[in-house]
Every structure is written in structure tokens, then in C-alpha cells.
Amino acid sequence: VKIGIGLPDLARKQLKACLRENADLFAWSAAEMPGLDPEVACHQLTKEPSVSAVVQRRRRQSPEKTRAA
């Protein structure tokens, strides 16, 4: 689990405590969710079989946007 750096210290401590206290309630993988219908949990891309995949060109950002990201 990753916690954003913009979260205030008090909220960060409370979130960590909550996650530790309730770690047994979270499902960390699909194997921990018996009975889950794969049609609900799986994502598929529909693609026409006769069409070949095309790699898009790389989009570059301005230096200001790169630094901000």
C-alpha cells in the first residue's frame, strides 16, 4: 500500500493504524476472494481479429509539465 506524501502526519498515522488493525479484512489477491465471478473482476479488451495492433507514438511533455509530474 502506498500513501501519498501530501497526506498530513496525523491522517497518515491514523490511516496506518487503521490498515494494521484491519489487515485481515482486506483481500490482497483474487485467490483470497472465493466465489468471486471472474466476469466481474477481469478486464478484457475487445479487438477485431483481422486488425493488427499499432503502437502509438510517444507523446512528450514540456519541461515544466515533466517537472510538475
Side-chain angles (χ1 to χ4, degrees):
V1 174
K2 295 182 180 181
I3 300 172
I5 60 171
L7 196 64
D9 287 338
L10 178 60
R12 179 188 311 264
K13 289 177 184 177
Q14 291 173 337
L15 179 58
K16 285 181 180 181
C18 178
L19 290 172
R20 285 188 185 113
E21 184 178 321
N22 298 299
D24 60 327
L25 301 178
F26 293 101
W28 301 103
S29 70
E32 295 178 1
M33 297 181 273
L36 182 66
D37 183 8
E39 292 294 321
V40 174
C42 295
H43 175 72
Q44 295 178 350
L45 295 175
T46 55
K47 179 182 161 277
E48 185 69 34
S50 62
V51 178
S52 61
V54 176
V55 177
Q56 293 183 350
R57 68 176 182 86
R58 183 175 177 199
R59 297 179 184 165
R60 297 189 180 262
Q61 297 179 344
S62 67
E64 296 84 25
K65 290 180 181 177
T66 303
R67 281 192 297 275

